[in-house]
């Protein structure tokens, strides 16, 4: 059931009794001292140098996470973050970056561990930070992506904008907005608590479904009532879904980010 590979790579392979899906034909390998994830739509690389790079093959957009950590979009600085952050990509791939304090101090953090999942495919890349050099490693989970996803908290979730550059997210008021430094300062889980993680995750999933349903959609907003209903999921006071339906509003607007 488990096969161990050398050169810093562990591979977990599902048994035939556990059907698995790899919808984007993802795989990960060590190439030239870097961990390289690749599927039909993205190439994601990480090195033992505090750097994670996400390249969208379809649009040509390039997201570079580097330093403590900064995020550059197509070469231009967009924002910094400090705590665990998930970049939710258009094809359903999730890139969750966990951070660790920088040994140099100053309250800075470095990207240290990266979990990438899509369908039942997953891989964990560790040793990305330079606090310790020479410990870059990949643990591939072929057929266990859902389990890998479950074992890693999403942190602050940022959804790739399917109709423009950069990322979108749901703020504490249920509004979907462009991710910039102001948004990160309010929602980074190390600096300030944002939405309840389970509520935020459901809202982001809804946003992803909306983008899939409407071509050319550039922004959407959810009413606070709808997010409140999400937050009460499973609670004794939660209203039936049929009664909740009228409590959310979807506003489609064409905005140039």
């Amino acid at each position: 059931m488990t096969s161990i590979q050398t050169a810093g790579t562990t591979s977990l392979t599902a048994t035939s009794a556990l059907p698995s899906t790899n919808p984007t034909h993802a795989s990960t390998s060590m190439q030239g001292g870097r961990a390289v994830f690749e599927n039909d739509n993205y190439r994601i690389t990480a090195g033992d140098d505090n750097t994670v790079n996400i390249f969208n093959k379809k649009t040509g957009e390039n997201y570079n996470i580097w330093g403590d950590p900064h995020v550059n979009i197509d070469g231009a600085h967009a924002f910094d973050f400090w705590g665990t952050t998930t970049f939710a990509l258009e094809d359903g791939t999730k890139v969750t970056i966990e951070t660790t304090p920088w040994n140099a101090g100053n309250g800075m953090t470095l990207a240290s561990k990266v979990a990438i999942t899509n369908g039942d495919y997953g891989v964990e890349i560790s040793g990305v930070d330079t606090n310790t050099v020479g410990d870059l490693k990949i643990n591939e989970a072929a057929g266990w992506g859902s389990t890998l996803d479950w074992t890693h908290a999403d942190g602050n979730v940022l959804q790739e904008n399917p109709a423009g550059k950069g990322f979108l997210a749901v703020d504490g008021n249920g509004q979907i907005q462009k991710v910039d430094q102001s948004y990160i300062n309010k929602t980074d889980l190390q600096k300030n608590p944002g939405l309840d993680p389970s509520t935020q995750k459901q809202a982001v999933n809804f946003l992803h479904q909306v983008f899939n349903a409407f071509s050319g959609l550039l922004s959407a907003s959810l009413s606070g009532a709808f997010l409140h209903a999400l937050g009460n999921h499973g609670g004794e006071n939660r209203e039936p879904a049929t009664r909740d339906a009228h409590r959310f509003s979807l506003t489609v607007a064409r905005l140039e980010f």
Side-chain angles (χ1 to χ4, degrees), residues 14-35:
T15 67
S16 57
L18 297 173
S20 62
T21 61
N22 185 353
T24 60
H25 308 101
S27 63
T28 308
S29 61
M30 296 294 292
Q31 300 178 25
R34 304 187 71 82

Side-chain angles (χ1 to χ4, degrees), residues 18-214:
L18 297 173
S20 62
T21 61
N22 185 353
T24 60
H25 308 101
S27 63
T28 308
S29 61
M30 296 294 292
Q31 300 178 25
R34 304 187 71 82
V36 181
F37 165 97
E38 189 152 9
N39 69 3
D40 295 337
N41 306 305
Y42 295 90
R43 183 183 304 111
I44 302 170
T45 62
D48 193 357
D49 56 0
N50 313 315
T51 300
V52 180
N53 182 267
I54 304 171
F55 177 70
N56 186 324
K57 297 179 183 179
K58 304 296 184 182
T59 66
E61 284 190 80
N62 189 73
Y63 315 120
N64 199 44
I65 298 95
W66 63 283
D68 53 351
H70 312 294
V71 178
N72 285 13
I73 298 176
D74 291 340
H77 178 253
F79 55 86
D80 300 340
F81 66 92
W82 296 267
T84 298
T85 300
T86 292
F87 296 85
L89 306 180
E90 281 189 64
D91 69 350
T93 298
K94 290 176 61 178
V95 184
T96 299
I97 300 177
E98 297 178 9
T99 62
T100 191
W102 185 18
N103 282 350
N106 301 321
M108 296 293 98
T109 60
L110 304 173
S112 61
K113 186 180 295 183
V114 183
I116 307 174
T117 60
N118 187 297
D120 285 336
Y121 178 85
V123 63
E124 181 185 83
I125 305 169
S126 58
V128 176
D129 62 277
T130 54
N131 285 334
T132 302
V133 178
D135 59 342
L136 186 69
K137 180 181 178 180
I138 63 176
N139 293 298
E140 192 173 24
W144 298 93
S146 296
T147 301
L148 181 65
D149 185 23
W150 178 77
T151 60
H152 288 72
D154 289 342
N156 200 8
V157 182
L158 314 179
Q159 172 70 52
E160 185 180 20
N161 184 356
K165 286 189 177 184
F167 293 85
L168 305 176
V170 181
D171 67 17
N173 297 317
Q175 300 298 310
I176 296 172
Q177 61 176 265
K178 179 184 178 182
V179 174
D180 55 15
Q181 193 61 60
S182 176
Y183 176 83
I184 294 295
N185 289 345
K186 295 174 183 177
T187 60
D188 183 272
L189 299 187
Q190 182 162 307
K191 293 293 183 180
N192 298 291
L195 288 174
D196 172 76
S198 61
T199 301
Q200 186 187 53
K201 185 173 183 178
Q202 291 179 71
V204 169
N205 287 341
F206 179 82
L207 170 60
H208 186 67
Q209 293 172 17
V210 167
F211 284 141
N212 286 339
F214 296 94

